[in-house]
Structures are given as structure tokens and as C-alpha cells.
Amino acid sequence: MNKISLKKSDFAVFTVVALILIWVACQPHPIETFKLYTKEHGYILSFLKFAILATFGECVALRIVNGCYWRPGFGLIAKAVMWGFIGLFLKASFTVFAVGSPAVLTSLGLNISAEDGFFARLLIAFTTSVMLNTVFAPVLMILHKIYDDHIQVHQGKIRSLIIPVDVADRFASIDWNNMWGFVLKKTVPIFWIPAHTFTFMLPPDARIIFAALLGGVLGVILAFASLKSRAAY
């Protein structure tokens, strides 16, 4: 792994991110506008948010591991499309688990609602996060690994998006010590369950904003784990 030191590319990235944030801050009512578009075009925005933020997270992970934000064969566009579709699944899963998880508590005899106070909201949020991260997240992370490796096998070319995935071969090539020992065993209970507990404590509109930020973190974690695994060979 390269020693991290600031390069011209880092300053360029910082400048672009700062300019985007300044532009957003200068818009009239940016939060209200974001909420409106999220309500009216939620799935389209989820695709775009994860395509941009999670892919940027992978670029950051590449910078940490190899000292650059991009390299030939990285598959920037292919990864962005892949993350966009993952964003669609996450948007749907948030809806499913936010509605279904409180019903689990009801089935256990706990007839509580968010209106019953802070601890009731905390229990509902924690239950939702546990269900999301134990039932859905492992499947999502494994699928991400399969499709990410598929993109790498085809040298990051855009046509990898339409080439059938050899799922059996990609599944067999997964470094399960890394996938289980780091991605699932450590990040799920230590980071994702607490992070999504906080997410589901927020109002629905704010959850979408926070989930978009977590999408970037997810990109960093999964890409870093993948790159770390490849560096071991």
C-alpha cells in the first residue's frame, strides 16, 4: 500500500468538491428543493446519488490503496451504472424494512409506535437496522462483489454491463476470509447497524440525505476490502 501524501490530484478533487458544495449552498432553499425532488423522483435521485457518491467512494479507496483516483481498467462508468442500480434496490429496501420491521415488534407483543417517545423510536430504528443489515445487506454486498469482479474481469469496459455474468465462477473466486472476516463480520455489527439505527431515527426526508452520504462510505468500505484482498495476492 502506498504511503498517503497530498498530490495535485487531491487538491483538484478537494477544489471540485468545495465548488459543488458552494454552488449547492448558494441555491435558494436547497434542502426544500432536494426534499421535493426526492419525493417526486425518489428512484431517479437514488440512482444518481449512489452512482456518484458510491463510485466516488471507490475512487477514494483506490487513492488510499494505490495512490491514484483512477487507472486504466478501473471501469469508472461501469461501476457508476452498477452503483446506480444498487441505489434503486436500497431505496426499495428502505421502504420495505421501514414498514415491515415495526410489524415484527408487534408480532412479539410490543405494541409501540414512533409517537410513544424517544426510546420507542430508538427500538423501532434499531430493529429496522438489524433486519436490514442481517437479511438484505449481506446479499447486497455479495452481489456487489460478484458484479465488481465481473467488471474487472472485462477490464472495466462499458460492454461488461451487457455481457452475461458467470455467477458461479465469480462466486467461487470470492475471498471468503475477507468477505466474512471483514465485510460481514466486522462492518455490519460495528458500523452499519449503528449507522442505520441513526438513519431510521431521522425523519423520512432526512433519511434519504443521510443514506446518500452512507452510500459513499459503503463504496469506500467495499472497494477498500476488495482492493486489499487483491493486494494480498
Side-chain angles (χ1 to χ4, degrees):
M1 183 184 300
N2 293 343
K3 182 179 179 180
I4 299 176
S5 58
L6 290 179
K7 301 180 178 180
K8 290 182 179 180
S9 60
D10 296 316
F11 291 107
V13 169
F14 296 155
T15 301
V16 171
V17 171
L19 289 175
I20 292 174
L21 293 176
I22 292 172
W23 177 81
V24 171
C26 291
Q27 300 304 305
H29 311 296
I31 300 298
E32 289 75 10
T33 301
F34 182 83
K35 289 180 179 179
L36 177 62
Y37 277 96
T38 297
K39 181 178 180 180
E40 295 183 352
H41 309 286
Y43 283 94
I44 294 175
L45 283 184
S46 291
F47 184 96
L48 294 175
K49 284 182 294 186
F50 280 90
I52 295 171
L53 292 174
T55 305
F56 179 68
E58 291 215 38
C59 293
V60 172
L62 183 65
R63 169 67 179 89
I64 293 172
V65 175
N66 289 334
C68 57
Y69 289 96
W70 178 87
R71 66 183 178 187
F74 181 64
L76 186 67
I77 296 177
K79 285 177 179 290
V81 174
M82 174 190 69
W83 274 114
F85 280 103
I86 288 177
L88 296 180
F89 284 112
L90 283 171
K91 166 68 174 175
S93 70
F94 265 51
T95 301
V96 170
F97 285 95
V99 174
S101 297
V104 173
L105 294 174
T106 301
S107 71
L108 295 173
L110 296 174
N111 296 312
I112 60 175
S113 68
E115 288 72 27
D116 292 331
F118 173 81
F119 290 104
R121 294 198 303 274
L122 180 61
L123 179 58
I124 292 172
F126 176 73
T127 302
T128 305
S129 180
V130 169
M131 295 297 294
L132 175 70
N133 285 289
T134 56
V135 175
F136 177 74
V139 176
L140 175 69
M141 292 176 180
I142 292 171
L143 284 176
H144 166 270
K145 177 61 177 174
I146 288 173
Y147 276 90
D148 184 63
D149 284 354
H150 170 75
I151 291 172
Q152 298 308 309
V153 165
H154 294 283
Q155 301 176 331
K157 296 179 180 178
I158 298 177
R159 64 185 178 88
S160 63
L161 295 170
I162 61 175
I163 296 175
V165 181
D166 188 343
V167 176
D169 190 51
R170 300 279 68 76
F171 193 86
S173 67
I174 293 176
D175 178 0
W176 287 102
N177 288 329
N178 187 52
M179 176 61 70
W180 166 249
F182 174 67
V183 176
L184 299 178
K185 185 179 178 181
K186 293 182 179 178
T187 69
V188 168
I190 295 174
F191 178 77
W192 289 113
I193 289 179
H196 282 133
T197 297
F198 179 78
T199 301
F200 287 107
M201 287 287 289
L202 298 172
D205 289 334
R207 293 175 192 173
I208 302 300
I209 298 174
F210 194 67
L213 298 176
L214 289 179
V217 177
L218 178 60
V220 172
I221 290 176
L222 294 183
F224 184 76
S226 179
L227 293 167
K228 181 181 178 182
S229 177
R230 289 172 191 156
Y233 292 94

